[in-house]
Amino acid sequence: MRPYDGSCHCGAIKFSFEAEPITKGIRCNCSFCSRRGTLMHPVPEGSFKVEAQEGALSTYQFVTKQAQHYFCKHCGISTYSEATRWPGQYIVNLGCVEGVDTFALETTVFDGRHLL
């Protein structure tokens, strides 16, 4: 396990977690995820910590409203999500994690488009 730190673009939302070295990420093909181009990674809720400036953290939900997608109200960056499909885990946006090259990672696709 190693520590990871991440943040939105403006730094109003910061998060940290511990995980095995990250070597792959997940892309979802649902209408929301494909538009934002996020490469995701699940993190157990027990190792995930968030610090946000007051009023910076907001959520977006759509269709079934089973997932909460968190983003920064100031810079608009999606930082992490919570979804009922992955109980007990946060889904972090690897593009927000320091030291992770999302273009160098192995990628798998989650078929979120056909789950609605």
Side-chain angles (χ1 to χ4, degrees):
M1 299 292 270
R2 65 160 279 205
Y4 287 95
D5 294 306
S7 69
C8 64
H9 192 252
C10 71
I13 299 170
K14 296 180 180 180
F15 60 89
S16 62
F17 61 94
E18 287 191 0
E20 296 295 328
I22 296 172
T23 59
K24 58 185 173 180
I26 303 165
R27 291 207 186 275
C28 176
N29 65 1
C30 78
S31 62
F32 182 64
C33 292
S34 62
R35 282 175 173 77
R36 55 185 186 141
T38 301
L39 189 62
M40 304 176 291
H41 185 77
V43 174
E45 67 183 354
S47 74
F48 188 75
K49 295 174 182 47
V50 177
E51 293 179 32
Q53 293 175 4
E54 187 172 334
L57 192 61
S58 191
T59 60
Y60 176 71
Q61 293 182 294
F62 64 102
V63 187
T64 63
K65 300 192 183 324
Q66 292 184 2
Q68 296 213 52
H69 303 281
Y70 294 90
F71 68 95
C72 178
K73 282 186 178 179
H74 304 298
C75 66
I77 298 298
S78 294
T79 49
Y80 65 97
S81 300
E82 288 181 273
T84 57
R85 295 200 185 283
W86 292 287
Q89 297 186 74
Y90 288 93
I91 311 302
V92 298
N93 175 356
L94 289 176
C96 295
V97 179
E98 294 174 24
V100 174
D101 180 359
T102 58
F103 294 98
L105 298 177
E106 177 185 330
T107 303
T108 59
V109 176
F110 176 76
D111 189 10
R113 179 177 298 158
H114 296 102
L115 293 176
L116 301 175

